[in-house]
C-alpha cells in the first residue's frame, strides 16, 4: 500500500503550514465562498482572526452542501417521527426504520450532480460509493441500490449523450464491482439539464437493531482512527464546489472531483461489518463532503466532546501535503472510527485482516474543541459545535417570489388544444419519447442479480423488490419525481412525487414505512427558486403526513443551474423521493405484467378530461405551460389501501399505476413482458386523447381472472372506489375503440429501440 505516514515529512509540512497558520482576512474568506458577515461571525466564535486553515474548515462546513444554511429551517417542518422510525432525520448517517423480527432498514439518497457535470464517470461512481458508505458505516449491509438520473435531450445534444454514457458506466462499474444489485430507478430528459445533469443515488441496507453503529464520539482518552484508503489531493474543496453554479469555467474545478475504488470499498465494507459485530467502538462515520474536517466535527459535536488530531499520522498519497489539503481532501473509501481505549489491538486486527489502513491519528478530549497539529505545531483550533448544522453554522431564510409563469399556467384551457386526427400515430410517437421509452440501455449495464435476492428482474413490478433472507419478508423500494409537474406547481408536483412512490409500492403489495429525499433546485438566493423550494417542502410535508410516511433524512442540492453569456438556466425543481416499504408475505407480491389472454382489464380511480403537464401535451402539441395534472390526496390514499386489499385477497393478477404517457403507455408496458395485447374502450364523456394520454393522478390498471370478477366487483362496489371495465387481454393485437392500434411486437420495437438509437450517435 503506497502511503506516507512517517515523521520524515514533518519538516516539509511545517515549512508550508506556517503561512497557512497566520491570521487571514475577509478577502481570503470571500474567495473561499464565505460571506463578509460570516467572516465576522467566525471572528466572534474564535475571539480572534482565523488563519487560513481555520477559514478553510469554516468555508467547507458552512458551505450549503454541509450546513444546509438556506434549507434547514424549512426542513425542520417536515414530519420526522413515526412508530417504525428508529433514528430521526439528521441523527445518523442514514435513515433507520424497524422492519420487524429484530431487523432494521437503513436507507438514504444523495446527489452527486456537480462532479458528474464535469467528470461524469468518476462523479457518478463516487456518488454510488459515498451513499453505500453511509449505509455500512451504520453497521448495515447494503442489499440494493436505486438511482434517479436527469440529462439533456440525447436526441439532439452530443454533450448530453456524453453525460449519460459516463454516468451510467460510472454507476455500473462501481456498483457491479462493489457487489450490490440495482433494483430500480428513473431516467428523465429535458433541455434544462443539458449543462447540469442530476445524479441522485440511493442505497438500502439491513442491520440488526442491536448492532447499529452511531456517528458519535465521546470518552476522554479514547483513540481516534482513520481507516481505509490513503488521503490524496482529490476532492479538495468538493463541498464548496457543490455550493456554487456551474459556469463555463467549472472545468477548472476538476480536481474537486474524487476518484473511487470499488474494490477498496468492498474490503472496507466487510471490515466495517465485522467491526460492527464487536463492542469495541464508540462511533464511526464516513468521510464524505469536507473529509476529515466533517467527520471530526460532526462526531465530536454529537457526542459533546473534542478531539486532538495529528495530521502527520494521516496516511497520504503525496508527500508534503499541507494541513488544509489533508483536512479538506474528499478522497474516497475512508472512515473515522472512535475506539474504546484498550480495544485497539482488536480493531487493528480486523483491518489488518482485510489489508486496510487502520492508523491512530488522535484522541478524544474534554470540552468542545477540535485541535489539529502538523509538524509539532497546532495549525487550527475550532469549537466543534460552531461548525455543524444545528450548532453554530449560520441559518438563513431567503426571500420568496412566485414566478409569473405560475399564474400563466393556470390560464391553460384544454378546449383550445386541437384533438389529433390519428390517435394511433400519436400513441407510437409517445412510445419513442426518451422519457417513456424503455430504459433497458441503462439497466442492462447494471448487475441486478448479485446476491440473488432481487425479486424484480424476471417478474417486473412497479417498485423494486428484494427478499430479506434473514426474515422471509420483502423490502419494496422506489425513486420517483416528475419534475415537469413540480415546475408547473411545486406544492402539488411534490405531493404527486410522494404519492407516486407510495402508489408504486402499493401496486407491488407493500406498505410504505419511510421517505428519504434528494431536493435538487437552483440558486437559493434567487427568490423565485426559493419560492419553488419552500412550496415543494410544504407539499412534501403534507403528503408524508397524510400517508404516515415520516421523512428519515436525505439531501439538499442547490445551485443546479448553469451560467453562461446567454444567461442563467436553472434545472426544473426536482425533489426526488426515495421510499421504502415492507411486504410482510413475499408470496403476496404483485407484478405489472398481463398474465393470460382473456383476463379482464379494469381501471381503478377517477379519470379526468385532463392533459396538463403531460408528455403528450409537451411532445405532440409543443405546449410547455400548463398546471400540474389533476391530483387529490384523499383519492390517492384510498387507491393505495384498495390496491393492498385486492392483492392480499388474491382478486387481481396484475397491477400497474398510470403515470407518464397515460393509460395507453401503461397498457403497453403491461403487455410487453409476455407479449400480450389488449382490446379496450375509452370513455365517451372524455376526449379520447385525454383518456389515452392524460396523466391525471390517483389511477391504476389491474387485471382480473374471469373467475374472480364477481368477488372483485362486489368489493369495489362496497368500498365506493371508482372502477371501470376497460376490456380484456388479447393474444397480441392492440385495439382501442374497435380500431386497430397494431400489435405488441410493433410497439415493442418502437419502445425498445428509441434510446439505443439516440445513444448510437457520437
Amino acid at each position: 500500500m503506497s502511503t506516507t505516514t512517517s515523521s520524515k515529512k514533518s519538516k516539509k509540512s511545517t515549512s508550508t503550514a506556517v503561512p497557512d497558520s497566520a491570521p487571514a482576512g475577509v478577502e481570503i474568506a470571500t474567495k473561499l465562498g464565505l460571506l463578509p458577515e460570516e467572516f465576522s461571525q467566525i471572528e466572534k466564535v474564535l475571539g480572534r482572526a482565523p488563519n487560513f486553515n481555520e477559514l478553510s474548515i469554516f468555508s467547507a462546513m458552512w458551505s450549503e452542501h454541509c450546513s444546509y444554511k438556506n434549507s434547514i429551517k424549512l426542513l425542520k417542518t417536515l414530519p420526522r417521527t413515526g412508530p417504525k422510525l428508529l433514528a430521526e432525520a439528521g441523527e445518523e448517517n442514514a435513515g433507520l426504520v424497524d422492519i420487524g423480527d429484530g431487523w432494521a432498514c437503513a436507507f438514504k439518497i444523495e446527489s452527486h450532480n456537480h462532479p458528474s457535470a464535469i467528470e461524469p464517470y468518476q462523479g457518478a461512481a463516487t456518488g454510488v460509493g459515498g451513499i453505500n458508505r453511509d449505509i455500512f458505516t451504520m453497521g448495515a449491509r447494503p442489499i440494493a441500490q436505486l438511482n434517479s438520473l436527469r440529462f439533456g435531450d440525447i436526441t439532439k445534444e452530443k454533450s448530453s449523450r456524453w453525460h449519460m454514457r459516463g454516468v451510467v458506466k460510472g454507476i455500473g462499474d462501481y456498483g457491479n464491482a462493489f457487489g450490490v444489485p440495482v433494483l430500480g430507478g428513473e431516467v428523465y430528459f429535458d433541455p434544462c439539464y443539458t449543462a447540469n445533469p442530476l445524479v441522485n443515488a440511493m442505497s438500502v441496507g439491513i442491520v440488526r437493531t442491536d448492532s447499529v453503529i452511531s456517528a458519535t464520539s465521546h470518552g476522554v482518552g479514547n483513540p481516534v482512527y482513520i481507516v481505509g484508503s490513503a488521503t490524496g489531493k482529490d476532492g479538495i474543496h468538493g463541498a464548496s464546489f457543490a455550493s456554487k453554479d456551474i459556469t463555463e469555467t467549472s472545468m477548472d474545478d476538476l480536481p474537486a472531483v474524487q476518484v473511487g475504488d470499488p474494490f477498496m470499498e468492498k474490503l472496507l465494507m466487510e471490515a466495517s461489518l465485522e467491526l460492527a459485530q464487536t463492542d469495541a467502538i464508540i462511533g464511526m462515520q464516513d468521510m464524505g463532503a469536507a473529509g476529515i474536517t466533517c467527520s471530526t466535527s460532526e462526531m465530536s459535536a454529537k457526542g459533546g466532546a473534542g478531539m486532538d488530531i495529528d495530521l502527520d499520522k494521516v496516511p497520504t498519497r503525496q508527500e508534503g501535503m499541507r494541513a488544509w489539503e489533508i483536512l479538506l481532501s474528499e478522497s474516497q473509501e475512508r472512515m473515522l472510527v472512535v475506539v474504546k481505549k484498550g480495544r485497539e489491538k482488536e480493531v487493528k486486527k480486523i483491518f489488518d485482516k482485510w489489508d486496510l489502513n487502520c492508523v491512530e491519528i488522535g484522541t478524544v478530549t474534554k470540552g468542545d474543541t477540535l485541535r489539529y497539529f502538523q509538524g509539532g505545531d497546532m495549525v487550527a483550533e475550532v469549537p466543534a459545535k460552531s461548525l455543524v448544522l444545528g450548532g453554530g453554522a449560520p441559518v438563513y431564510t431567503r426571500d420568496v417570489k412566485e414566478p409569473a409563469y405560475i399564474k400563466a399556467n393556470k390560464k391553460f384551457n384544454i378546449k383550445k388544444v386541437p384533438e389529433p386526427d390519428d390517435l394511433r400515430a400519436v400513441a407510437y410517437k409517445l412510445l419513442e419519447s426518451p422519457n417513456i421509452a424503455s430504459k433497458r440501455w441503462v439497466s442492462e449495464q447494471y448487475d441486478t442479480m448479485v446476491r440473488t435476492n432481487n425479486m424484480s428482474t424476471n417478474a417486473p413490478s412497479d417498485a423494486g423488490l428484494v427478499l430479506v433472507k434473514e426474515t422471509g419478508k420483502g423490502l419494496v423500494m422506489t425513486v420517483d419525481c416528475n419534475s415537469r409537474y413540480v415546475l408547473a406547481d411545486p406544492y402539488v408536483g411534490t405531493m404527486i412525487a410522494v404519492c407516486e412512490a407510495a402508489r408504486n409500492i402499493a401496486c407491488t403489495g407493500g406498505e410504505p414505512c419511510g421517505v428519504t429525499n434528494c431536493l435538487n433546485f437552483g440558486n437559493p438566493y434567487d427568490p423565485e427558486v426559493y419560492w419553488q423550494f419552500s412550496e415543494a417542502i410544504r407539499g412534501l410535508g403534507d403528503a408524508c403526513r397524510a400517508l404516515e410516511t415520516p421523512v428519515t433524512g436525505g439531501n439538499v442540492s442547490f445551485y443546479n443551474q448553469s451560467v453562461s453569456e446567454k444567461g442563467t438556466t436553472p434545472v426544473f425543481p426536482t425533489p426526488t423521493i426515495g421510499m421504502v416499504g415492507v411486504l410482510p408475505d413475499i408470496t403476496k407480491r404483485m407484478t405489472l405484467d398481463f398474465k393470460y389472454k382473456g383476463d379482464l382489464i379494469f381501471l381503478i380511480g377517477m379519470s379526468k378530461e385532463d392533459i396538463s403537464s403531460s408528455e403528450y401535451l409537451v411532445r405532440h402539441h409543443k405546449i410547455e405551460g400548463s398546471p400540474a395534472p389533476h391530483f387529490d390526496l384523499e383519492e390517492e390514499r384510498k387507491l393505495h389501501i384498495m390496491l393492498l386489499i385486492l392483492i392480499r385477497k388474491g382478486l387481481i393478477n396484475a397491477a400497474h399505476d398510470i403515470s407518464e404517457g397515460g393509460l395507453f403507455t401503461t397498457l403497453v408496458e403491461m403487455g410487453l413482458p409476455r407479449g400480450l395485447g389488449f382490446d379496450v374502450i375509452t370513455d365517451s364523456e372524455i376526449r379520447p386523447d385525454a383518456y389515452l394520454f392524460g396523466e391525471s393522478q390517483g389511477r391504476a390498471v389491474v387485471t382480473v381472472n374471469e373467475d374472480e370478477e364477481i368477488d372483485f366487483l362486489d368489493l369495489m362496489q362496497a368500498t365506493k372506489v371508482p372502477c371501470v371495465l376497460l376490456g380484456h387481454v388479447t393474444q397480441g393485437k392492440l385495439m382501442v375503440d374497435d380500431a386497430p392500434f397494431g400489435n405488441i411486437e410493433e410497439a415493442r420495437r418502437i419502445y425498445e429501440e428509441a434510446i439505443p438509437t439516440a445513444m448510437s450517435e457520437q
Side-chain angles (χ1 to χ4, degrees):
M1 200 172 292
S2 60
T3 61
T4 61
T5 58
S6 70
S7 58
K8 291 180 181 179
K9 63 170 185 165
S10 297
K11 291 182 180 179
K12 287 185 179 180
S13 299
T14 304
S15 62
T16 58
V18 171
D20 296 339
S21 299
V26 67
E27 297 84 3
I28 294 176
T30 54
K31 287 181 180 179
L32 291 175
L34 291 161
L35 299 172
E37 56 266 33
E38 290 173 343
F39 178 77
S40 298
Q41 190 175 338
I42 292 168
E43 288 185 309
K44 290 179 181 177
V45 167
L46 299 179
R48 55 177 171 79
N51 62 38
F52 182 80
N53 294 321
E54 291 162 342
L55 267 185
S56 296
I57 290 170
F58 276 102
S59 75
M61 293 304 296
W62 284 11
S63 69
E64 186 67 46
H65 191 69
C66 290
S67 74
Y68 287 11
K69 58 190 176 185
N70 289 307
S71 59
I72 188 62
K73 187 176 285 189
L74 291 174
L75 294 176
K76 286 183 176 179
T77 67
L78 296 173
R80 299 150 66 93
T81 59
K84 295 182 180 179
L85 208 59
L86 298 178
E88 287 192 20
E91 282 189 351
E92 299 294 350
N93 284 319
L96 197 67
V97 292
D98 191 342
I99 59 174
D101 305 309
W103 288 86
C105 172
F107 63 105
K108 188 179 183 183
I109 188 170
E110 281 199 342
S111 63
H112 230 222
N113 303 336
H114 281 49
S116 300
I118 60 174
E119 215 303 297
Y121 181 84
Q122 288 294 352
T126 52
V128 171
I131 196 64
N132 279 313
R133 280 197 304 281
D134 280 337
I135 300 303
F136 69 73
T137 300
M138 295 180 68
R141 179 177 289 277
I143 59 172
Q145 295 177 180
L146 303 95
N147 47 69
S148 174
L149 310 176
R150 301 287 195 282
F151 303 104
D153 186 347
I154 57 170
T155 66
K156 297 178 180 178
E157 295 290 342
K158 183 177 181 180
S159 64
S160 295
R161 294 191 290 272
W162 175 70
H163 278 137
M164 185 164 166
R165 289 190 189 100
V167 165
V168 172
K169 184 171 174 55
I171 291 171
D173 285 0
Y174 198 103
N176 296 350
F178 180 60
V180 178
V182 176
L183 255 68
E186 58 173 7
V187 188
Y188 280 92
F189 306 90
D190 190 272
C192 73
Y193 301 110
T194 300
N196 205 137
L198 302 185
V199 178
N200 296 176
M202 179 174 171
S203 181
V204 180
I206 56 171
V207 59
R208 293 283 310 178
T209 54
D210 57 1
S211 299
V212 177
I213 299 175
S214 183
T216 189
S217 168
H218 55 77
V220 175
N222 282 328
V224 179
Y225 280 76
I226 189 170
V227 301
S229 290
T231 298
K233 294 186 179 183
D234 52 325
I236 294 172
H237 287 302
S240 301
F241 170 54
S243 302
K244 58 185 179 181
D245 297 336
I246 295 290
T247 68
E248 293 172 340
T249 62
S250 287
M251 196 59 74
D252 297 341
D253 292 319
L254 193 59
V257 179
Q258 311 93 325
V259 178
D261 182 345
F263 301 103
M264 177 71 78
E265 175 127 330
K266 175 69 173 174
L267 298 176
L268 186 58
M269 178 183 72
E270 297 299 342
S272 299
L273 295 179
E274 189 172 331
L275 184 62
Q277 300 307 307
T278 74
D279 64 345
I281 63 172
I282 298 295
M284 178 163 59
Q285 180 162 328
D286 163 45
M287 287 187 188
I292 291 174
T293 293
C294 185
S295 52
T296 54
S297 59
E298 289 185 349
M299 292 179 75
S300 296
K302 182 175 180 181
M307 283 186 190
D308 281 357
I309 301 294
D310 186 348
L311 299 178
D312 287 328
K313 294 181 179 179
V314 175
T316 57
R317 295 177 192 158
Q318 293 99 7
E319 291 192 9
M321 286 184 68
R322 299 161 75 170
W324 59 271
E325 291 175 321
I326 297 172
L327 286 167
L328 297 186
S329 168
E330 294 182 12
S331 294
Q332 298 291 285
E333 294 86 42
R334 302 177 303 153
M335 298 196 296
L336 196 74
V337 183
V338 177
V339 177
K340 292 180 180 178
K341 193 171 180 61
R343 307 289 293 275
E344 295 91 341
K345 290 183 179 180
E346 186 178 344
V347 172
K348 188 79 164 60
K349 184 178 179 181
I350 291 173
F351 285 93
D352 284 347
K353 170 186 172 181
W354 294 98
D355 194 26
L356 293 169
N357 283 318
C358 180
V359 180
E360 183 178 347
I361 62 170
T363 57
V364 178
T365 60
K366 185 178 180 180
D368 177 47
T369 303
L370 298 172
R371 299 194 303 170
Y372 302 100
F373 297 86
Q374 190 178 55
D377 297 324
M378 184 170 67
V379 293
E381 182 179 24
V382 182
K385 196 170 183 180
S386 71
L387 298 173
V388 301
L389 178 155
V395 176
Y396 302 120
T397 301
R398 296 297 169 198
D399 293 335
V400 298
K401 178 185 177 184
E402 182 180 288
Y405 76 81
I406 295 292
K407 290 181 180 178
N409 284 352
K410 294 176 181 178
K411 296 178 181 178
F412 172 76
N413 186 348
I414 187 175
K415 294 179 181 178
K416 295 182 179 180
V417 179
E419 296 184 51
D421 296 325
D422 190 344
L423 289 172
R424 182 186 182 280
V426 173
Y428 278 79
K429 274 294 183 182
L430 281 178
L431 288 180
E432 69 177 6
S433 165
N435 284 334
I436 291 173
S438 168
K439 307 304 187 295
R440 188 186 300 273
W441 186 93
V442 175
S443 62
E444 68 186 2
Q445 298 188 48
Y446 303 152
D447 189 337
T448 60
M449 294 304 295
V450 64
R451 295 186 55 79
T452 68
N453 53 1
N454 180 1
M455 306 290 287
S456 306
T457 297
N458 298 319
S461 51
D462 273 11
L465 177 62
V466 62
L467 172 66
V468 182
K469 296 177 181 178
E470 292 80 358
T471 69
K473 295 179 179 178
L475 271 180
V476 193
M477 57 204 71
T478 184
V479 288
D480 289 284
C481 179
N482 185 310
S483 54
R484 187 176 297 283
Y485 299 169
V486 184
L487 177 71
D489 187 328
Y491 174 68
V492 172
T494 305
M495 286 199 290
I496 289 175
V498 174
C499 288
E500 184 179 357
R503 196 162 67 234
N504 284 330
I505 286 177
C507 282
T508 310
E511 293 183 62
C513 57
V515 162
T516 182
N517 57 73
C518 199
L519 307 176
N520 308 273
F521 289 80
N523 192 321
Y525 293 83
D526 180 335
E528 294 188 354
V529 167
Y530 204 71
W531 179 85
Q532 291 174 333
F533 178 73
S534 61
E535 285 295 287
I537 292 291
R538 189 166 68 90
L540 174 59
D542 285 354
C544 287
R545 277 184 284 271
L547 300 181
E548 298 180 342
T549 51
V551 176
T552 65
N555 175 225
V556 176
S557 176
F558 281 133
Y559 301 96
N560 290 292
Q561 57 188 41
S562 53
V563 180
S564 67
E565 292 179 354
K566 297 179 181 179
T568 300
T569 306
V571 301
F572 287 169
T574 311
T576 306
I577 304 300
M579 186 177 288
V580 169
V582 175
L583 179 59
D585 183 352
I586 201 74
T587 66
K588 297 291 186 180
R589 58 181 296 201
M590 183 52 58
T591 58
L592 63 81
D593 51 318
F594 289 151
K595 302 300 188 299
Y596 309 105
K597 176 188 175 185
D599 277 353
L600 302 175
I601 305 172
F602 285 90
L603 188 154
I604 303 177
M606 184 67 70
S607 291
K608 300 285 185 179
E609 188 159 279
D610 176 24
I611 57 174
S612 294
S613 289
S614 63
E615 188 73 9
Y616 161 66
L617 182 65
V618 174
R619 187 172 177 83
H620 180 73
H621 292 287
K622 313 298 182 187
I623 297 176
E624 300 278 350
S626 64
H630 168 78
F631 170 79
D632 184 290
L633 190 53
E634 184 59 21
E635 287 177 9
E636 280 282 355
R637 196 180 64 82
K638 289 179 179 178
L639 174 68
H640 305 170
I641 295 171
M642 192 73 251
L643 285 166
L644 289 178
I645 293 172
L646 291 170
I647 292 169
R648 289 172 185 177
K649 286 184 175 291
L651 295 177
I652 60 176
N653 57 25
H656 190 19
D657 86 311
I658 298 176
S659 55
E660 288 80 16
L663 174 62
F664 183 83
T665 295
T666 298
L667 293 169
V668 169
E669 289 174 345
M670 297 179 80
L672 287 171
R674 296 174 187 252
L676 296 171
F678 53 84
D679 187 343
V680 297
I681 302 296
T682 63
D683 188 329
S684 61
E685 295 184 3
I686 297 177
R687 284 174 47 155
D689 59 340
Y691 199 76
L692 290 173
F693 313 130
E695 298 176 13
S696 58
Q697 300 294 294
R699 299 180 298 157
V701 173
V702 301
T703 57
V704 179
N705 186 282
E706 287 184 333
D707 294 340
E708 306 291 349
E709 181 183 8
I710 294 176
D711 290 342
F712 170 81
L713 290 174
D714 285 346
L715 181 60
M716 295 305 299
Q717 187 173 8
T719 57
K720 297 182 179 179
V721 174
C723 170
V724 62
L725 175 63
L726 289 173
H728 63 274
V729 177
T730 69
Q731 192 67 41
K733 66 180 180 181
L734 311 183
M735 300 287 291
V736 178
D737 292 335
D738 297 325
F741 269 56
N743 60 66
I744 194 66
E745 294 309 318
E746 185 180 356
R748 184 192 307 279
R749 180 175 53 80
I750 299 294
Y751 184 77
E752 294 283 356
E753 292 180 3
I755 289 181
T757 298
M759 294 305 294
S760 66
E761 298 290 329
Q762 289 305 309

